[in-house]
Amino acid sequence: MKKQTMNRDWIATARTLNEALPYLQRYTGAIVVVKFGGNAMGDTDAMAEFARDIVLMRQVGVNPVVVHGGGPMINDMLAKLNIQSEFKRGKRVTDQATVEVVEMVLTGLVNKRIVQAIMDEGGRAVGLSGKDDDLIVCEADDPELGFVGRPVECNVQVLHDLFAAGIIPVVAPVATGMDYLETFNVNGDTAAGALAGALKADRLLLLTDVSGVKNKDGEVVTQMTPEDVRAMTEDGTIAGGMIPKTETALKAVEDGVRAVVILDGRVPNACLLELFTEHGAGSLIRRADLEPARPRT
């Protein structure tokens, strides 16, 4: 008879699963919107790990929605087609030629790559864009930016239908407009925030390439209220590229999302760490009267 020696790693794994139980129970049936982007999208191993985390979330009863970006892929295709990009105030000026490339890359190449990754990990996924069933309807955000949209309406019944069928929606941030055949490019964070607000999601997870919102000493602030965010923005602590992310978070909380977390998508299993461990990950932004206290380090 073969003897099996208990391995410390096995014991640690069992303990981790045991400690996760209350969080698994807490999120059963919850809607979690995940904005996926950054360097992980171009890395095969990172993509597979992200997909596996999303499949695990669905397996334990969470209803995840993946909203993705794809800026580097858009840049590559524009360069191949010799279409010049112009940026104003950090946003891409999107003319008719550019928005056609954006739609092609995001709804085709990028969206289907994520769908395939989820399917390869044993999940069920369907790719959508904001155009499908008028999921995201936009108006022009700024006339100087061309076809860059600001969501004014989200029709999320199709997402609820997919939840009921056990299917994970993967949404490309390309939206319809008010005019005939009008198409808008939407910032991925903005699209994720708008959908999370319309769904009254339990969590909006904004995966980034930084560890979270940092204070003046460079330390990650693990829990914040909207008032904290506004104060840190006014005194310059929150600056640069973190401002639009925190603005998305504030709007989402205002629209009824229970909490928003800005976290580092480069960290292995970042979503699982946030949802199913005692200490979470990144910076959680929530109304103080809605979210029960939770230790976070």
Side-chain angles (χ1 to χ4, degrees):
M1 181 182 294
K2 183 178 180 181
K3 289 186 65 177
Q4 188 176 59
T5 304
M6 293 300 291
N7 183 298
R8 289 181 181 274
D9 290 340
W10 301 344
I11 296 171
T13 299
R15 183 179 297 114
T16 299
L17 291 171
N18 180 271
E19 292 173 352
L21 177 60
Y23 304 107
L24 295 171
Q25 294 169 329
R26 156 75 174 79
Y27 286 105
T28 296
I31 297 173
V32 176
V33 178
V34 183
K35 162 58 190 350
F36 180 51
N39 295 330
M41 293 187 66
D43 183 286
T44 301
D45 291 338
M47 174 77 83
E49 184 176 85
F50 171 78
R52 189 174 182 84
D53 287 355
I54 294 296
V55 171
L56 191 151
M57 288 165 61
R58 185 67 191 85
Q59 186 67 37
V60 298
V62 177
N63 292 310
V65 180
V66 178
V67 181
H68 62 84
M73 293 78 167
I74 293 170
N75 291 338
D76 290 345
M77 184 59 70
L78 289 172
K80 289 177 182 177
L81 297 174
N82 199 29
I83 298 175
Q84 300 299 314
S85 282
E86 180 185 358
F87 288 83
K88 291 185 178 180
R89 299 181 296 281
K91 295 183 178 180
R92 188 193 305 273
V93 177
T94 306
D95 59 14
Q96 185 62 46
T98 302
V99 80
E100 290 176 2
V101 173
V102 167
E103 183 171 16
M104 175 177 65
V105 172
L106 292 184
T107 66
L109 174 66
V110 178
N111 187 271
K112 301 314 174 190
R113 183 177 292 174
I114 298 171
V115 168
Q116 184 176 3
I118 291 172
M119 298 288 288
D120 286 348
E121 294 300 331
R124 298 179 65 201
V126 167
L128 305 167
S129 78
K131 284 187 168 184
D132 292 301
D133 204 28
D134 278 349
L135 180 58
I136 305 174
V137 180
C138 284
E139 61 184 13
D141 187 36
D142 183 337
E144 290 188 359
L145 297 176
F147 295 101
V148 173
R150 179 176 66 253
V152 294
E153 181 182 344
C154 292
N155 301 290
V156 295
Q157 183 58 50
V158 65
L159 302 183
H160 288 291
D161 292 343
L162 292 172
F163 296 154
I167 297 172
I168 299 165
V170 180
V171 182
V174 175
T176 189
M178 300 294 188
D179 294 337
Y180 182 68
L181 294 181
E182 191 173 36
T183 300
F184 282 106
N185 176 24
V186 188
N187 174 273
D189 289 342
T190 302
L195 289 176
L199 288 164
K200 299 295 185 284
D202 195 286
R203 285 289 186 276
L204 168 60
L205 307 183
L206 298 176
L207 302 185
T208 71
D209 291 337
V210 296
S211 52
V213 181
K214 296 181 180 180
N215 62 20
K216 289 184 180 296
D217 297 325
E219 301 168 332
V220 174
V221 183
T222 58
Q223 295 200 57
M224 311 172 71
T225 65
E227 292 73 24
D228 295 331
V229 173
R230 294 186 185 100
M232 292 175 67
T233 303
E234 288 175 5
D235 69 16
T237 303
I238 294 175
M242 187 55 70
I243 291 178
K245 293 188 181 301
T246 52
E247 287 178 344
T248 293
L250 293 179
K251 180 67 166 60
V253 170
E254 180 182 315
D255 288 345
V257 177
R258 190 175 182 90
V260 181
V261 186
I262 300 173
L263 65 163
D264 191 344
R266 300 168 300 179
V267 174
N269 311 116
C271 294
L272 304 186
L273 287 170
E274 169 53 35
L275 296 178
F276 302 132
T277 68
E278 179 181 2
H279 300 294
S283 300
L284 181 144
I285 301 169
R286 86 288 185 259
R287 280 172 46 191
D289 61 326
L290 286 183
E291 188 68 18
R294 173 184 178 186
R296 296 171 68 88
T297 59

